[in-house]
Amino acid sequence: MVAVSPSPAYAIATPVPLGTADSFAVLAGESVTNTGPTVITGDLGVSPGTAISGFPPGLVNGVQHSADAVALQAKSDLVVAYNNAAGQATDAALPPDAGGLTLVPGVYTASSTLGLTGTLTLDAEGDPNAVWVFQVGSGLTTASASRVNLINGAQPCNVFWQIGSSATLGTDSTFIGNILALTSISATTGATIEGRALARNGSVTLDNNRITRSTCSGGTTSGTTTGTTTGTTTGTTTGTTTGTTGGVLGGVLGGVLTGGTTGGTPGGSTTTGTTTGNTVGNTSGNIAGNTTGGGKGGVTGGHSGGHTGGGKGGGTGGHSGGHDGGYGDGRPGDHGPGHGEEHGGYGDKPEGAGHHEG
């Protein structure tokens, strides 16, 4: 096995922008022809030609585009991608046959034809974003059972083959990368491609092949997004809701219960029943006042019962007259019996229109 590394002053290869051609597994300028049960995962298209044949028996797990606007745009983007790959500065020259080589990321050039016999290994050296660009001046031909092998994090989506004429893949060969051929691409019986077969001007010819459109993995982004969203949402919602309900609501309603029934005795805890407090406080105040006095007396009684204990108990019972209350500032039991016997009942305002003689 021979390892080839770029020269020390090499330029880093950059991903070739495919544009709308990215969704295609097979794209041709003239025609696409298939024989046998080929399976294509990704879109299939042709433009400006119109001929697509052999599907079925071939299967396309994607959309077929024959000389429509989508295929036209994809072909235009393929031209841009081809020129990008051809224009990147080279790092190292390749021998006539790349079989047996192990290549680190970079831009590699074959001045004329390039063969592949045996195995070509691409070593990412632990970098999942590593890129390889192969510039082949003329034709690419792979032997039967030849293969491209990826190691140490290399991804098929980051391998690009710019071919100056046509590419032919041998029987039962395993090829990896995006083929951008100026003329045509032919995959013989049983050949597989993990990448794309994109022919600018000629045809793509298939025979019982497997072509799978490659995509780069996105593990880092998914992990970060999920962790942040789950943690923030759960923590904020649970803490705020529980604290508000248990502390504020429980304390206020507890005060209503104790004030309404006992005339301001310190109370108002979260353990006192909410329903019982409202029912007893409001019912005792209203019934006692209305039943005993009637008329003006009824108003006085209602005020006495309601304002005992302060807070919402006072507001519920009435607004005129009572005699046994506290100062009622919304805090349960702040001014209990110590002030209720000396003052005529100060509701929500300490002095003013709320005070009446019985």
Side-chain angles (χ1 to χ4, degrees):
M1 181 180 293
V2 178
V4 176
S5 299
S7 61
Y10 73 97
I12 299 175
T14 59
V16 176
L18 296 177
T20 60
D22 180 79
S23 69
F24 287 82
V26 175
L27 181 63
E30 183 178 326
S31 65
V32 177
T33 303
N34 172 65
T35 301
T38 292
V39 177
I40 296 174
T41 301
D43 294 345
L44 180 153
V46 59
S47 178
T50 61
I52 298 177
S53 61
F55 300 93
L59 174 65
V60 178
N61 294 314
V63 181
Q64 295 188 41
H65 297 276
S66 175
D68 61 9
V70 175
L72 177 63
Q73 183 60 56
K75 272 296 304 299
S76 177
D77 291 343
L78 173 57
V79 173
V80 173
Y82 181 94
N83 292 334
N84 178 284
Q88 294 196 31
T90 187
D91 296 320
L94 291 171
D97 195 302
L101 299 179
T102 296
L103 303 178
V104 298
V107 181
Y108 297 90
T109 302
S111 59
S112 59
T113 60
L114 179 67
L116 173 57
T117 304
T119 299
L120 167 64
T121 301
L122 305 181
D123 183 359
E125 300 181 314
D127 180 7
N129 298 313
V131 177
W132 290 261
V133 174
F134 295 94
Q135 302 166 334
V136 180
S138 182
L140 170 69
T141 302
T142 69
S144 298
S146 62
R147 62 194 300 260
V148 177
N149 184 39
L150 304 184
I151 62 173
N152 295 325
Q155 299 193 70
C157 63
N158 287 328
V159 181
F160 301 91
W161 300 82
Q162 176 260 317
I163 311 300
S165 61
S166 297
T168 301
L169 306 183
T171 302
D172 296 325
S173 60
T174 301
F175 195 82
I176 288 179
N178 303 285
I179 304 174
L180 286 63
L182 180 63
T183 309
S184 297
I185 300 172
S186 177
T188 58
T189 306
T192 65
I193 302 174
E194 187 171 359
R196 294 170 178 82
L198 310 176
R200 280 182 54 179
N201 301 320
S203 300
V204 175
T205 304
L206 307 173
D207 182 1
N208 189 19
N209 307 119
R210 298 290 182 273
I211 303 177
T212 303
R213 168 183 166 269
S214 62
T215 57
C216 291
S217 62
T220 302
T221 302
S222 299
T224 302
T225 303
T226 302
T228 303
T229 303
T230 303
T232 302
T233 303
T234 304
T236 302
T237 303
T238 304
T240 303
T241 304
T242 304
T244 302
T245 304
V248 178
L249 189 57
V252 171
L253 294 181
V256 173
L257 166 63
T258 308
T261 56
T262 64
T265 301
S269 65
T270 56
T271 56
T272 308
T274 301
T275 304
T276 306
N278 280 321
T279 303
V280 175
N282 294 334
T283 304
S284 298
N286 286 321
I287 292 177
N290 292 330
T291 303
T292 303
K296 190 173 181 180
V299 174
T300 302
H303 178 74
S304 297
H307 274 285
T308 303
K312 290 189 178 179
T316 304
H319 294 281
S320 10
H323 287 80
D324 289 320
Y327 281 99
D329 60 357
R331 292 188 300 272
D334 278 351
H335 300 282
H339 294 279
E341 296 178 0
E342 295 180 6
H343 297 281
Y346 295 86
D348 293 333
K349 299 180 181 179
E351 295 181 359
H355 180 68
H356 294 277
E357 296 286 332

